Coordinates of all heavy atoms in Angstrom, one line a residue:
Chain A
Y33 N -0.5 9.4 -10.2 CA -0.7 10.9 -10.2 C -0.6 11.4 -8.8 O -0.8 10.7 -7.8 CB -2.2 11.2 -10.7 CG -2.5 10.7 -12.0 CD1 -3.6 10.0 -12.3 CD2 -1.7 11.0 -13.1 CE1 -4.0 9.5 -13.6 CE2 -2.0 10.6 -14.4 CZ -3.2 9.8 -14.7 OH -3.5 9.4 -15.9
F35 N -1.3 15.0 -6.4 CA -2.2 16.2 -6.2 C -1.8 16.9 -4.9 O -1.4 16.4 -3.9 CB -3.6 15.8 -6.2 CG -4.2 15.0 -7.3 CD1 -4.0 13.6 -7.4 CD2 -4.8 15.6 -8.4 CE1 -4.4 12.8 -8.4 CE2 -5.3 14.8 -9.4 CZ -5.1 13.5 -9.4
Y37 N -4.2 19.4 -2.6 CA -5.5 20.0 -2.3 C -5.4 21.0 -1.1 O -4.6 20.8 -0.3 CB -6.5 18.9 -1.9 CG -7.1 18.1 -3.0 CD1 -6.5 16.8 -3.4 CD2 -8.3 18.5 -3.7 CE1 -7.0 16.1 -4.4 CE2 -8.8 17.7 -4.7 CZ -8.1 16.5 -5.0 OH -8.7 15.8 -6.1
Q39 N -7.6 23.0 1.9 CA -8.9 23.0 2.7 C -8.9 24.2 3.5 O -8.3 24.3 4.6 CB -9.0 21.7 3.5 CG -10.3 21.6 4.2 CD -10.4 20.3 4.9 OE1 -9.5 19.8 5.7 NE2 -11.6 19.7 4.9
S42 N -13.6 27.0 5.4 CA -14.9 26.5 5.0 C -15.0 25.0 4.8 O -16.1 24.5 4.6 CB -15.2 27.2 3.6 OG -14.3 26.7 2.6
R43 N -13.9 24.3 4.9 CA -13.8 22.8 4.9 C -13.9 22.3 3.5 O -13.7 21.1 3.3 CB -14.6 22.2 5.9 CG -16.0 22.0 5.5 CD -16.9 21.6 6.7 NE -18.3 21.3 6.2 CZ -19.4 21.2 7.1 NH1 -19.2 21.5 8.3 NH2 -20.5 20.9 6.6
Q44 N -14.2 23.1 2.5 CA -14.2 22.6 1.2 C -12.8 22.1 0.7 O -11.8 22.7 1.0 CB -14.7 23.7 0.2 CG -14.7 23.3 -1.3 CD -16.0 22.6 -1.6 OE1 -17.1 22.9 -1.3 NE2 -15.8 21.5 -2.4
M45 N -12.8 20.9 0.0 CA -11.5 20.5 -0.5 C -11.3 21.0 -1.9 O -12.1 20.7 -2.8 CB -11.5 18.9 -0.6 CG -11.5 18.3 0.8 SD -9.9 18.5 1.7 CE -8.8 17.5 0.8
L47 N -9.0 21.5 -5.3 CA -7.8 21.2 -6.1 C -6.9 22.3 -6.3 O -7.3 23.4 -6.9 CB -8.2 20.4 -7.4 CG -7.0 20.0 -8.3 CD1 -6.3 18.9 -7.7 CD2 -7.6 19.7 -9.7
R50 N -2.0 19.4 -10.0 CA -1.8 18.0 -10.2 C -0.6 17.7 -11.1 O -0.2 18.5 -11.9 CB -3.1 17.4 -10.8 CG -3.4 18.0 -12.2 CD -4.9 17.6 -12.6 NE -5.3 18.3 -13.7 CZ -6.5 18.4 -14.1 NH1 -7.5 17.9 -13.4 NH2 -6.8 19.1 -15.2
E52 N 1.2 14.4 -13.4 CA 1.3 13.0 -13.8 C 2.7 12.5 -13.6 O 3.7 13.2 -14.0 CB 0.9 12.9 -15.3 CG -0.5 13.3 -15.6 CD -0.7 14.7 -16.1 OE1 0.0 15.6 -15.4 OE2 -1.4 15.0 -17.0
F91 N -3.2 19.4 1.6 CA -3.0 18.0 1.6 C -2.4 17.6 0.4 O -2.8 17.9 -0.7 CB -4.4 17.3 1.8 CG -5.0 17.5 3.2 CD1 -6.0 18.4 3.4 CD2 -4.7 16.6 4.2 CE1 -6.5 18.6 4.6 CE2 -5.2 16.9 5.5 CZ -6.2 17.8 5.6
L95 N -2.5 9.1 -6.2 CA -3.5 8.3 -6.9 C -2.9 7.2 -7.6 O -2.1 7.3 -8.4 CB -4.3 9.2 -7.9 CG -5.6 8.5 -8.4 CD1 -6.7 9.5 -8.6 CD2 -5.3 7.9 -9.7
I97 N -3.1 4.2 -10.0 CA -3.9 3.7 -11.2 C -4.2 2.2 -11.0 O -5.3 1.8 -11.4 CB -3.1 4.0 -12.4 CG1 -2.9 5.5 -12.6 CG2 -3.9 3.4 -13.6 CD1 -2.0 5.9 -13.7
A99 N -4.7 0.5 -8.2 CA -5.5 0.2 -7.1 C -6.9 0.9 -7.1 O -7.3 1.6 -6.2 CB -4.7 0.5 -5.8
G100 N -7.5 0.7 -8.2 CA -8.8 1.3 -8.3 C -8.9 2.8 -8.3 O -9.9 3.4 -7.9
N101 N -7.8 3.5 -8.7 CA -7.8 4.9 -8.7 C -8.2 5.5 -7.3 O -8.8 6.5 -7.2 CB -8.8 5.5 -9.7 CG -8.3 5.2 -11.2 OD1 -8.3 4.1 -11.6 ND2 -7.8 6.2 -11.8
M102 N -7.6 4.9 -6.3 CA -7.9 5.5 -5.0 C -6.8 6.5 -4.6 O -5.6 6.4 -4.9 CB -7.8 4.3 -4.0 CG -9.0 3.4 -4.0 SD -9.1 2.2 -2.6 CE -7.7 1.2 -2.9
L103 N -7.3 7.5 -3.9 CA -6.5 8.6 -3.4 C -6.0 8.2 -2.0 O -6.8 7.8 -1.2 CB -7.2 9.9 -3.4 CG -7.2 10.8 -4.6 CD1 -8.1 12.1 -4.4 CD2 -5.8 11.2 -5.0
F105 N -4.1 10.1 1.1 CA -3.8 11.5 1.5 C -2.7 11.5 2.6 O -2.6 10.6 3.4 CB -5.0 12.2 2.1 CG -6.0 12.6 1.1 CD1 -7.0 11.8 0.6 CD2 -6.0 13.9 0.7 CE1 -7.9 12.2 -0.3 CE2 -7.0 14.4 -0.3 CZ -7.9 13.5 -0.8
G106 N -1.9 12.5 2.6 CA -1.0 12.8 3.7 C -1.8 13.4 4.8 O -3.0 13.7 4.7
G107 N -1.2 13.6 6.0 CA -1.8 14.2 7.1 C -2.1 15.7 7.1 O -2.7 16.2 8.0
Chain B
R9 N -25.7 19.2 5.5 CA -24.3 19.7 5.7 C -23.9 19.5 7.1 O -22.7 19.4 7.4 CB -24.4 21.2 5.5 CG -24.7 21.6 4.0 CD -23.5 21.1 3.0 NE -22.2 21.5 3.5 CZ -21.7 22.7 3.4 NH1 -22.4 23.7 2.7 NH2 -20.5 23.0 3.8
N10 N -24.8 19.5 8.0 CA -24.5 19.1 9.4 C -25.6 18.3 10.0 O -26.7 18.4 9.7 CB -24.4 20.4 10.2 CG -23.3 21.3 9.8 OD1 -22.2 21.1 10.2 ND2 -23.6 22.3 9.1
R31 N -17.7 8.1 -11.8 CA -17.0 7.5 -10.6 C -17.4 8.5 -9.4 O -17.3 9.6 -9.5 CB -15.5 7.5 -10.8 CG -15.1 6.6 -11.9 CD -13.6 6.5 -12.1 NE -13.3 5.4 -13.0 CZ -12.1 4.9 -13.2 NH1 -11.0 5.4 -12.6 NH2 -11.9 3.9 -14.1
Y35 N -15.5 9.6 1.5 CA -14.3 9.7 2.3 C -14.7 10.2 3.7 O -15.8 10.9 3.9 CB -13.3 10.7 1.8 CG -12.6 10.3 0.6 CD1 -13.1 10.7 -0.8 CD2 -11.4 9.7 0.6 CE1 -12.4 10.3 -1.9 CE2 -10.6 9.3 -0.6 CZ -11.2 9.6 -1.8 OH -10.5 9.3 -2.9
Q37 N -13.0 12.2 7.1 CA -11.9 13.0 7.6 C -12.0 13.2 9.1 O -13.1 13.8 9.6 CB -11.8 14.4 7.0 CG -10.5 15.2 7.4 CD -10.5 16.6 6.8 OE1 -11.5 17.2 6.4 NE2 -9.2 17.1 6.7
G40 N -7.5 16.9 12.3 CA -6.1 16.9 12.1 C -5.6 15.8 11.1 O -4.3 15.7 11.1
L41 N -6.4 15.1 10.4 CA -6.0 14.1 9.6 C -6.4 14.3 8.2 O -7.2 15.0 7.9 CB -6.4 12.7 10.1 CG -6.1 12.2 11.5 CD1 -6.7 10.9 11.8 CD2 -4.6 12.2 11.6
G42 N -5.8 13.5 7.3 CA -6.2 13.5 5.9 C -7.4 12.7 5.7 O -8.0 12.1 6.6
L43 N -7.9 12.6 4.5 CA -9.1 11.8 4.1 C -8.8 10.3 3.9 O -7.8 10.0 3.4 CB -9.8 12.4 2.9 CG -10.6 13.7 2.9 CD1 -9.8 14.8 3.4 CD2 -11.3 13.9 1.7
L45 N -10.6 6.7 2.5 CA -11.7 6.2 1.5 C -12.5 5.2 2.3 O -12.1 4.1 2.8 CB -11.0 5.6 0.3 CG -12.0 5.1 -0.8 CD1 -12.8 6.3 -1.3 CD2 -11.1 4.4 -1.9
F50 N -17.6 2.8 -9.5 CA -17.2 3.3 -10.8 C -18.3 3.4 -11.9 O -18.1 4.0 -12.9 CB -16.1 2.4 -11.4 CG -14.7 2.5 -10.8 CD1 -13.6 1.7 -11.1 CD2 -14.5 3.6 -10.0 CE1 -12.4 2.0 -10.6 CE2 -13.2 3.8 -9.4 CZ -12.2 3.0 -9.7
F90 N -16.9 13.4 3.2 CA -16.9 14.0 1.9 C -17.3 13.1 0.7 O -16.8 11.9 0.8 CB -15.5 14.5 1.5 CG -15.1 15.8 2.3 CD1 -14.3 15.7 3.4 CD2 -15.4 17.0 1.8 CE1 -13.9 16.8 4.1 CE2 -15.0 18.1 2.4 CZ -14.3 18.1 3.6
V101 N -6.6 13.1 -16.8 CA -6.1 12.8 -15.4 C -7.3 12.5 -14.6 O -8.3 13.3 -14.6 CB -5.3 14.0 -14.8 CG1 -4.9 13.7 -13.4 CG2 -4.2 14.3 -15.7
D102 N -7.3 11.5 -13.8 CA -8.4 11.1 -12.9 C -8.4 11.9 -11.7 O -8.1 11.6 -10.6 CB -8.3 9.6 -12.6 CG -9.6 9.1 -11.9 OD1 -10.6 9.8 -12.0 OD2 -9.5 8.0 -11.4
T103 N -8.9 13.2 -11.9 CA -9.0 14.1 -10.7 C -10.3 14.0 -10.1 O -11.3 14.0 -10.7 CB -8.8 15.5 -11.4 OG1 -7.5 15.6 -12.0 CG2 -8.9 16.6 -10.3
Q104 N -10.2 14.0 -8.8 CA -11.5 13.9 -8.0 C -11.9 15.3 -7.5 O -11.0 16.1 -7.1 CB -11.2 13.0 -6.8 CG -11.0 11.6 -7.3 CD -10.9 10.6 -6.1 OE1 -11.3 10.8 -5.0 NE2 -10.3 9.4 -6.4
Y105 N -13.1 15.6 -7.6 CA -13.7 16.8 -7.2 C -14.6 16.6 -6.1 O -15.5 15.7 -6.1 CB -14.5 17.5 -8.4 CG -13.6 17.8 -9.6 CD1 -13.3 16.9 -10.6 CD2 -12.9 19.1 -9.6 CE1 -12.5 17.2 -11.6 CE2 -12.0 19.3 -10.7 CZ -11.8 18.4 -11.7 OH -11.0 18.7 -12.7
F106 N -14.5 17.4 -5.0 CA -15.1 17.1 -3.8 C -16.4 18.0 -3.5 O -16.4 19.1 -4.0 CB -14.2 17.3 -2.6 CG -13.1 16.3 -2.5 CD1 -12.0 16.3 -3.3 CD2 -13.2 15.2 -1.7 CE1 -11.0 15.3 -3.3 CE2 -12.3 14.2 -1.6 CZ -11.2 14.2 -2.4
G107 N -17.4 17.5 -2.8 CA -18.5 18.1 -2.3 C -18.0 19.0 -1.1 O -16.9 18.9 -0.6
P108 N -19.0 19.7 -0.5 CA -18.7 20.6 0.6 C -18.5 19.9 1.9 O -18.1 20.6 2.9 CB -19.9 21.6 0.6 CG -21.0 20.7 0.1 CD -20.4 19.9 -1.0
G109 N -18.8 18.7 2.0 CA -18.7 17.9 3.2 C -19.9 17.9 4.1 O -20.7 18.8 4.1
R111 N -20.8 17.4 8.2 CA -20.2 17.2 9.6 C -21.2 16.4 10.4 O -22.3 16.9 10.6 CB -19.9 18.6 10.2 CG -19.3 18.4 11.6 CD -18.8 19.6 12.3 NE -17.8 20.3 11.5 CZ -16.5 20.0 11.3 NH1 -16.0 19.0 12.1 NH2 -15.7 20.8 10.6

Side-chain angles (χ1 to χ4, degrees):
Chain A
Y33 300 129
F35 302 84
Y37 282 91
Q39 187 178 40
S42 67
R43 78 193 188 198
Q44 178 81 46
M45 293 291 288
L47 176 67
R50 60 192 174 202
E52 296 95 317
F91 292 97
L95 189 142
I97 298 171
N101 290 73
M102 290 193 292
L103 271 178
F105 284 84
Chain B
R9 293 294 310 278
N10 295 281
R31 300 181 170 191
Y35 289 91
Q37 184 181 26
L41 299 178
L43 280 66
L45 184 64
F50 283 176
F90 285 98
V101 176
D102 191 12
T103 299
Q104 294 184 21
Y105 297 93
F106 288 81
R111 184 171 300 282

